[in-house]
Amino acid sequence: MSKQRIAIIGAGPSGIAALRAFQSAQRQGAKIPEVVCFEKQDDWGGQWNYNWRSGIDKYGEPVHSSMYRNLWSNGPKEALEFAEYTFDEHFGRPISSYPPREALWDYIDGRVRKTDVKDKVQFSTAVRWIEYNGEDDNFTVTVENLRSKTTSSSEFDRVIVATGHFSFPNVPDVKGIETFPGTLHHAHDFRGAEKLADKRVLLIGASYSAEDIGVQAFKMGARSVTMSYRTRPQGYKWPEGMEELPGIDHFDGETVHFINGETREFDAVILCTGYLHKYPFLASDLALSSPNNIYPAGLYRGVVWQKNPKLYYLGAQDQWFTFNMFDAQAWYVRDLIMGRAKLPSAEERAAHVKQWRARFQALDGDADDVQFQADYIRDLIEATDYPMFDLDEVVRIFLAWKEDKKQNILTYRDKQHRSVMTGTMAAEHHTTWLNELDDSLERYLSTPERSDIEELVHGKPEEAEPAAKA
Amino acid sequence: MSKQRIAIIGAGPSGIAALRAFQSAQRQGAKIPEVVCFEKQDDWGGQWNYNWRSGIDKYGEPVHSSMYRNLWSNGPKEALEFAEYTFDEHFGRPISSYPPREALWDYIDGRVRKTDVKDKVQFSTAVRWIEYNGEDDNFTVTVENLRSKTTSSSEFDRVIVATGHFSFPNVPDVKGIETFPGTLHHAHDFRGAEKLADKRVLLIGASYSAEDIGVQAFKMGARSVTMSYRTRPQGYKWPEGMEELPGIDHFDGETVHFINGETREFDAVILCTGYLHKYPFLASDLALSSPNNIYPAGLYRGVVWQKNPKLYYLGAQDQWFTFNMFDAQAWYVRDLIMGRAKLPSAEERAAHVKQWRARFQALDGDADDVQFQADYIRDLIEATDYPMFDLDEVVRIFLAWKEDKKQNILTYRDKQHRSVMTGTMAAEHHTTWLNELDDSLERYLSTPERSDIEELVHGKPEEAEPAAKA
């Protein structure tokens, strides 16, 4: 029997997890399948691979990453830590619980940068179309090398979809919005809050994007920040200058009429209206179609496509847990592919999905949700050799984080949590998030004197005239 | 022999021209093939179908149109008039030579709105992949209905690509641009100049986008407009507040360093850096790959794909002529498909392409270019029953337009030209372009009193207190 060929679509955190899972088995002496990963960007990291472009990238492809310059983790790093590659191992010393974008990219990259797994990735390569061949029970994957503009096709026995679902913005219509004359785009195209200084900003939405772009805009000196919710307000104790209003009835130029009869004028509007599950390279019988939830229908154990169990999805859930959940999924999928784990019959799988979906549908609130996802991950890890970790303690960290946010949405990132992997307590950071205007890795890892910090926060004091000029 | 099946990709001006060409033959009693047109937008009109969204549309597809709210034709309508559906026929009276966006959409739509050709268009349908089947000498076209999210495939004998090439922005890198904190996007995502009021605006580029967004920004009150050219300046007599500078060395935050050593600070940057030929639904042996020029290599008579003459492109050239050129191309392609025109052998075609490419490469300047394109169109029309028109006179109109722009880039749209189709002289518009802040069709077609015009230009005078309140 010839070697199985496995296609991984996407080299973000989930795709890298899949590459790492196979590498881990190989290191232990196992014979692994031939693995090819296709990534349309020039480097890996997925969402964490910041792109200054918005809308369309340099090859004419939709920009993948929704990341903005000033993004800092909005959840504690102790909740996303890899069980088999810790922050301690990567950074060599304790760091704070809420690192900026560059630090997290460095951590993801650090796990694999010294290995040969990068050789398995075809960068700048977009997957155009995947055809399932019933007779041969395999897939023809057609890709385009975006640099040479050449297309090619080859056969794979299995396909792992790891393209994520926070890349294609959901951009709903709002009555009259086409008359709004100011800055107007989706959060996906938001690249930094500096341009919002002194602006009256409207964020449409009440989830993570609205919350975080809202506090970023506040931090950068927006004149006002208004967030519009459809179902319920976020309910944080907003500082003066931030407010929540209910849904929008219509736009009339720069004036927005809310359904409670209030009106406001705005200079900038950002739609924080979520993302679409979209897989334009897959036929509809292979493409997951789901709202953003923590147990999408149609996926056995959250990863195996019920209608065709040679197709897998990683990270297709809404996410409390992230990197370590992708690992657990990738290890399990690897074991299915390598025959180390047994795939139950279609009927058994359907019953399993039904059971978990029933529990999912009965969930009531955040504490329930996060415990559900912890249990889901535990179930996967138990089926593999991925290192088990104290998932219940991570649930506790998540709930503490929620509580910290409730206390103060502007300071929760200044709190510390303890790693469940190493027991290391996070470091207190040299600068509070609200006062830190330099988001670089260099600044983050520096140990500035107190005076430097003050300088950065309050602006550089004017230099005295040089003596020569006096 | 069963009826030929023809797929038309895109229902913009070129796709509509193809639909119209078949309809025209049918009206004359000919049996026409089965025609199916796939359009990813909800309505036809292509670029002229304005979309307030930027980047990604409501279905998660790249936004097609690069149109902005305040766009007015930047060339005389007498140069783009359909020979078989005139402006006189559509509007019933003379209109000005440079109509706003809505008026042109209305004209395109008007030609076909009362016919049944709209029934041949599958709207909200994206073409995912086209496979040429060598054995059957036909194409399998796989599409996705974006509303129902269902994919389907069917066979076509011929494929007409009419997707245009001003939809996928070319977004080059510029050193340090990722540090720019202000508004930053490509002209493709520009929707209106109002937001540039009081801003220091940098436009990177020296072609139509930079020129027109530049004068729009000036009209809407930008504090300054700087345009950066790579090869040569546009060279118009810019009003105070507009300037041209050479290329950019690098960005450093909001400061831009030009290669001549000058620096400027900006609030907004728009990349007017052109567009890509991009056909993500085609294998590389079928996809045109060309810079934007008036005679792309690989296309016999500018429309027949040399490597596979059952594949056609409409509007793939850079364009002086537009709507009437698409018509000429569509009529010729129709005649090839229906066997009314004879396709020469591959060798003859190659010789023909070689000859025209040689002439193309010897062109020297605008007058040469436009005459070349006129001759190209004449050659096509002579092979079909499309009404011949005075192409040399249109060349003269183009050159007069160029001269008008040279005289005054802010007033050339106030000039009138005479239709070569009807002999009608364009109307003098009720308001000069620079003073017209309402771009709607309603306003355009209105006949305001002089006092209304003054009011619109200078702002509504404050109303006296109502008597009842006094």
Side-chain angles (χ1 to χ4, degrees):
Chain A
M1 183 178 138
S2 68
K3 223 175 182 181
Q4 280 195 93
R5 296 193 78 222
I6 314 298
I8 301 171
I9 319 300
S14 292
I16 294 175
L19 290 165
R20 171 73 167 186
F22 284 109
Q23 181 214 21
S24 171
Q26 188 173 35
R27 279 191 177 171
Q28 291 163 27
K31 280 193 178 170
I32 64 166
E34 184 187 343
V35 173
V36 182
C37 178
F38 301 106
E39 168 56 52
K40 75 175 186 179
Q41 302 188 76
D42 288 345
D43 201 354
W44 59 19
Q47 286 288 352
W48 297 92
N49 186 13
Y50 174 75
N51 191 336
W52 65 266
R53 292 171 180 83
S54 58
I56 299 295
D57 75 12
K58 66 175 172 177
Y59 297 118
E61 300 293 309
V63 166
H64 178 79
S65 177
S66 305
M67 193 66 60
Y68 32 100
R69 275 189 302 279
N70 354 66
L71 183 137
W72 290 57
S73 179
N74 66 344
K77 78 177 196 304
E78 289 74 16
L80 55 76
E81 191 165 17
F82 299 122
E84 49 101 71
Y85 185 73
T86 65
F87 281 101
D88 283 1
E89 183 176 348
H90 183 74
F91 286 103
R93 62 174 164 100
I95 61 166
S96 72
S97 280
Y98 297 86
R101 171 178 62 79
E102 276 190 39
L104 282 172
W105 187 88
D106 197 67
Y107 173 60
I108 301 167
D109 181 62
R111 171 158 78 144
V112 275
R113 78 167 64 120
K114 285 172 198 150
T115 70
D116 65 349
V117 305
K118 209 160 195 169
D119 303 341
K120 299 186 190 297
V121 186
Q122 295 187 13
F123 289 103
S124 314
T125 301
V127 174
R128 291 286 175 236
W129 190 248
I130 295 180
E131 188 81 33
Y132 175 68
N133 310 305
E135 270 183 40
D136 297 328
D137 191 22
N138 67 9
F139 302 87
T140 301
V141 177
T142 300
V143 304
E144 177 172 348
N145 179 321
L146 298 167
R147 289 183 191 171
S148 65
K149 288 177 153 191
T150 48
T151 53
S152 58
S153 300
S154 58
E155 273 69 53
F156 289 90
D157 300 287
R158 321 258 182 156
V159 173
I160 300 173
V161 178
T163 51
H165 55 103
F166 298 114
S167 280
F168 290 100
N170 173 48
V171 196
D173 212 349
V174 183
K175 194 179 166 191
I177 197 169
E178 72 282 1
T179 68
F180 181 73
T183 295
L184 170 63
H185 54 73
H186 188 277
H188 174 59
D189 290 335
F190 176 74
R191 291 292 172 268
E194 297 90 339
K195 71 175 178 179
L196 300 178
D198 205 35
K199 295 281 188 302
R200 298 163 299 178
V201 181
L202 171 63
L203 306 171
I204 303 177
S207 188
Y208 293 109
S209 292
E211 171 201 314
D212 201 53
I213 295 175
V215 297
Q216 292 280 357
F218 174 83
K219 176 176 170 175
M220 294 299 182
R223 197 189 314 172
S224 66
V225 175
T226 302
M227 292 164 285
S228 165
Y229 59 89
R230 199 170 42 181
T231 314
R232 66 184 71 85
Q234 301 167 62
Y236 295 110
K237 295 174 199 154
W238 303 110
E240 202 184 322
M242 294 183 74
E243 64 169 347
E244 290 195 81
L245 286 177
I248 293 165
D249 186 76
H250 69 282
F251 280 71
D252 181 10
E254 64 177 0
T255 303
V256 176
H257 297 255
F258 294 86
I259 55 170
N260 65 354
E262 294 198 60
T263 63
R264 295 278 188 288
E265 293 187 348
F266 296 102
D267 305 301
V269 173
I270 301 175
L271 289 100
C272 302
T273 42
Y275 293 86
L276 303 169
H277 273 278
K278 189 169 174 85
Y279 308 96
F281 48 84
L282 287 176
S284 39
D285 59 346
L286 298 176
L288 177 64
S289 176
S290 174
N292 184 28
N293 70 44
I294 59 174
Y295 215 86
L299 290 174
Y300 169 68
R301 276 179 139 167
V303 289
V304 181
W305 185 239
Q306 258 298 62
K307 292 186 193 163
N308 184 330
K310 292 193 164 181
L311 179 71
Y312 312 92
Y313 284 84
L314 300 180
Q317 304 62 22
D318 194 12
Q319 294 152 14
W320 291 79
F321 292 78
T322 54
F323 299 164
N324 45 33
M325 177 169 74
F326 308 151
D327 273 11
Q329 295 178 325
W331 256 250
Y332 176 65
V333 167
R334 175 202 69 187
D335 286 355
L336 285 176
I337 291 172
M338 293 178 62
R340 297 169 159 206
K342 191 182 169 308
L343 187 73
S345 71
E347 294 68 30
E348 288 168 314
R349 299 198 307 267
H352 188 276
V353 170
K354 195 176 169 189
Q355 183 191 335
W356 280 78
R357 287 276 299 172
R359 185 179 157 194
F360 154 68
Q361 276 151 351
L363 295 175
D364 184 21
D366 291 342
D368 261 20
D369 271 27
V370 63
Q371 186 64 55
F372 176 88
Q373 196 154 68
D375 295 346
Y376 161 71
I377 295 167
R378 183 181 297 109
D379 180 59
L380 286 176
I381 295 180
E382 280 171 353
T384 72
D385 66 355
Y386 191 76
M388 182 58 80
F389 57 96
D390 188 346
L391 284 148
D392 292 331
E393 178 60 17
V394 178
V395 171
R396 210 199 51 72
I397 291 173
F398 272 120
L399 298 179
W401 162 67
K402 294 292 288 184
E403 188 55 34
D404 290 344
K405 287 174 70 176
K406 219 177 280 180
Q407 290 300 318
N408 192 331
I409 193 70
L410 299 176
T411 62
Y412 75 88
R413 285 189 173 100
D414 304 326
K415 304 285 182 182
Q416 293 83 43
H417 300 276
R418 186 182 297 281
S419 167
V420 301
M421 309 300 175
T422 60
T424 302
M425 191 66 188
E428 187 173 350
H429 197 49
H430 52 65
T431 310
T432 59
W433 172 80
L434 192 62
N435 284 318
E436 181 59 275
L437 297 177
D438 182 341
D439 311 298
S440 69
L441 179 61
E442 189 184 353
R443 164 76 185 173
Y444 179 69
L445 294 179
S446 71
T447 50
E449 298 292 320
R450 193 71 213 162
S451 61
D452 293 345
I453 297 173
E454 293 298 315
E455 183 180 286
L456 198 123
V457 173
H458 300 293
K460 206 164 182 172
E462 292 206 5
E463 282 178 17
E465 283 290 303
K469 269 186 141 186
Chain B
M1 187 178 139
S2 68
K3 221 174 183 181
Q4 280 195 93
R5 297 193 77 222
I6 314 299
I8 302 170
I9 320 299
S14 292
I16 294 175
L19 290 165
R20 171 72 168 186
F22 285 109
Q23 182 214 19
S24 171
Q26 189 173 34
R27 279 190 178 173
Q28 291 163 25
K31 279 193 180 172
I32 64 165
E34 183 186 345
V35 173
V36 182
C37 178
F38 300 106
E39 167 56 52
K40 75 176 185 179
Q41 302 188 75
D42 289 346
D43 201 354
W44 60 18
Q47 287 288 352
W48 297 91
N49 186 11
Y50 174 75
N51 192 335
W52 65 266
R53 292 171 180 84
S54 58
I56 300 295
D57 75 12
K58 67 176 172 177
Y59 297 119
E61 299 294 308
V63 166
H64 178 79
S65 176
S66 304
M67 193 64 60
Y68 33 100
R69 274 190 302 279
N70 353 67
L71 184 137
W72 290 57
S73 180
N74 67 343
K77 78 178 195 304
E78 289 74 17
L80 55 76
E81 190 166 18
F82 299 121
E84 50 101 70
Y85 184 75
T86 64
F87 281 100
D88 283 0
E89 183 177 348
H90 183 74
F91 287 103
R93 62 174 163 100
I95 61 166
S96 72
S97 278
Y98 298 85
R101 170 179 63 76
E102 275 190 41
L104 283 171
W105 186 88
D106 198 66
Y107 173 59
I108 302 167
D109 181 62
R111 173 160 75 146
V112 275
R113 77 168 65 119
K114 285 173 199 150
T115 70
D116 64 348
V117 305
K118 210 160 193 167
D119 302 342
K120 299 185 189 300
V121 187
Q122 295 187 13
F123 289 103
S124 315
T125 300
V127 173
R128 290 286 175 237
W129 191 246
I130 295 179
E131 189 82 32
Y132 175 68
N133 309 305
E135 271 183 40
D136 298 328
D137 190 22
N138 66 9
F139 301 87
T140 301
V141 177
T142 300
V143 304
E144 178 173 348
N145 178 320
L146 298 167
R147 289 184 191 170
S148 66
K149 288 177 151 190
T150 48
T151 54
S152 57
S153 299
S154 58
E155 274 67 54
F156 290 90
D157 299 288
R158 321 258 182 155
V159 172
I160 300 173
V161 178
T163 52
H165 56 103
F166 298 114
S167 280
F168 291 100
N170 173 46
V171 197
D173 213 349
V174 183
K175 192 177 166 193
I177 196 170
E178 72 282 1
T179 67
F180 181 73
T183 294
L184 171 63
H185 54 74
H186 188 277
H188 174 60
D189 290 333
F190 177 73
R191 291 291 172 270
E194 297 90 339
K195 70 176 180 181
L196 301 177
D198 205 36
K199 296 280 187 302
R200 299 163 298 178
V201 180
L202 171 63
L203 306 172
I204 303 178
S207 188
Y208 293 108
S209 293
E211 172 202 314
D212 200 53
I213 295 174
V215 296
Q216 291 281 358
F218 174 82
K219 176 176 171 175
M220 295 297 183
R223 199 191 312 174
S224 66
V225 176
T226 302
M227 291 163 287
S228 165
Y229 58 88
R230 199 170 43 182
T231 315
R232 66 184 71 86
Q234 301 167 62
Y236 296 111
K237 295 173 198 154
W238 302 111
E240 201 184 322
M242 295 184 73
E243 65 170 348
E244 289 196 82
L245 286 176
I248 293 164
D249 187 76
H250 69 283
F251 278 73
D252 182 9
E254 64 177 1
T255 304
V256 176
H257 297 254
F258 294 86
I259 56 171
N260 66 353
E262 293 198 62
T263 63
R264 295 279 188 288
E265 293 186 348
F266 296 103
D267 305 302
V269 173
I270 301 175
L271 289 101
C272 302
T273 42
Y275 292 86
L276 303 169
H277 274 278
K278 189 167 175 84
Y279 308 96
F281 48 84
L282 287 175
S284 38
D285 58 347
L286 298 176
L288 176 65
S289 176
S290 174
N292 184 29
N293 70 43
I294 59 173
Y295 215 87
L299 289 174
Y300 169 67
R301 277 181 137 165
V303 290
V304 181
W305 186 238
Q306 258 298 61
K307 292 186 192 160
N308 185 330
K310 293 195 163 181
L311 180 72
Y312 312 91
Y313 283 84
L314 300 181
Q317 303 63 21
D318 194 11
Q319 294 152 14
W320 292 80
F321 292 78
T322 53
F323 299 164
N324 46 34
M325 178 170 74
F326 308 151
D327 273 11
Q329 295 178 326
W331 257 249
Y332 177 64
V333 167
R334 175 202 68 186
D335 285 355
L336 286 176
I337 290 172
M338 293 178 62
R340 298 170 157 205
K342 190 183 172 306
L343 186 74
S345 71
E347 294 68 31
E348 289 168 313
R349 299 197 309 265
H352 187 277
V353 170
K354 195 177 168 187
Q355 182 190 333
W356 280 78
R357 287 275 300 170
R359 183 179 159 195
F360 155 67
Q361 276 151 352
L363 296 175
D364 185 20
D366 290 342
D368 262 19
D369 271 26
V370 64
Q371 186 63 56
F372 176 88
Q373 196 154 66
D375 295 346
Y376 161 71
I377 295 168
R378 183 181 296 108
D379 181 58
L380 286 176
I381 295 180
E382 281 171 352
T384 71
D385 66 355
Y386 191 75
M388 182 59 80
F389 56 96
D390 188 345
L391 284 147
D392 292 330
E393 177 60 17
V394 178
V395 171
R396 209 201 52 72
I397 292 173
F398 272 120
L399 298 179
W401 162 68
K402 295 292 288 184
E403 188 56 34
D404 290 343
K405 287 173 70 176
K406 220 179 278 179
Q407 290 302 319
N408 192 331
I409 192 70
L410 299 176
T411 62
Y412 75 89
R413 285 189 172 102
D414 304 325
K415 304 283 183 184
Q416 292 83 43
H417 300 275
R418 186 180 298 281
S419 169
V420 301
M421 309 300 175
T422 60
T424 301
M425 191 67 188
E428 187 174 350
H429 197 48
H430 53 64
T431 311
T432 60
W433 173 79
L434 192 62
N435 283 317
E436 181 58 275
L437 297 177
D438 182 341
D439 311 298
S440 68
L441 178 62
E442 189 186 352
R443 164 76 185 174
Y444 179 69
L445 293 181
S446 71
T447 49
E449 297 293 320
R450 193 72 213 160
S451 62
D452 292 346
I453 297 172
E454 293 299 314
E455 184 181 285
L456 198 123
V457 173
H458 300 293
K460 205 164 182 171
E462 292 206 4
E463 283 177 17
E465 284 288 303
K469 266 187 144 184

